[in-house]
Amino acid sequence: MVMEGQQQQQQQQQQLPKSRVAKVDSEESWYLFVTQANNQGCPVFVHFGASWCVPSLAMNSFFEELAMTYQDILFLVVDVDEVKGVASKMEVKAMPTFVLMRDGAVVDKIVGANPEEIRKRMDGFVRSFRRPNMVD
């Protein structure tokens, strides 16, 4: 019976989507993702990159790893060449740029491919985000 349970669990895991990261392919999808996250009280972490930028591409697997670690945060990838309006509105001037948002507002912006710094800031944000609200 234990073996059956393990097999079922493995099958279920295989059926889950391989990526927890959503690709933003238009301004409309950007607003849809951000609005939905705001309505659900879900923070958003965005990786602004470009297909021609080697450091951006190198951060993709790290970004996927973060998405698996912080499952109560929406992770988005925006290619600045495909969705220029969003990159401009978010004042992205260098790649890669990572933006952490809460309730539609930018909470933190990290420029550059520094996994240790990104993880440190994410840990700090998640601790403050998950802290119980002491005010009635």
Side-chain angles (χ1 to χ4, degrees):
M1 248 181 149
V2 172
M3 299 255 316
E4 277 182 34
Q6 288 174 341
Q7 287 175 340
Q8 287 176 345
Q9 188 177 19
Q10 286 174 345
Q11 288 172 348
Q12 288 172 348
Q13 287 174 347
Q14 290 171 352
Q15 292 171 358
L16 294 174
K18 289 184 180 178
S19 176
R20 293 192 43 83
V21 177
K23 181 170 176 23
V24 174
D25 56 10
S26 67
E27 287 189 44
E28 293 78 22
S29 66
W30 167 261
Y31 291 112
L32 181 68
F33 282 126
V34 172
T35 300
Q36 185 177 13
N38 290 344
N39 290 342
Q40 295 174 357
C42 177
V44 180
F45 194 50
V46 189
H47 173 193
F48 288 94
S51 59
W52 49 265
C53 179
V54 174
S56 284
L57 297 173
M59 292 298 290
N60 285 342
S61 61
F62 174 71
F63 200 65
E64 290 275 351
E65 181 184 313
L66 285 176
M68 295 302 292
T69 302
Y70 304 102
Q71 295 188 8
D72 51 353
I73 296 176
L74 174 62
F75 285 77
L76 301 176
V77 173
V78 178
D79 186 313
V80 296
D81 293 324
E82 292 177 13
V83 194
K84 292 178 182 176
V86 172
S88 176
K89 180 178 186 272
M90 299 303 290
E91 300 178 359
V92 173
K93 296 177 177 32
M95 269 72 63
T97 295
F98 298 89
V99 175
L100 184 57
M101 299 173 64
R102 172 89 184 163
D103 299 324
V106 174
V107 175
D108 199 359
K109 186 184 269 189
I110 307 161
V111 179
N114 184 338
E116 294 81 22
E117 180 66 19
I118 292 169
R119 189 173 296 280
K120 185 172 105 178
R121 291 198 195 177
M122 285 293 292
D123 286 342
F125 171 76
V126 168
R127 277 194 301 275
S128 68
F129 165 64
R130 291 184 179 156
R131 186 171 294 143
N133 189 357
M134 304 293 260
V135 180
D136 288 329

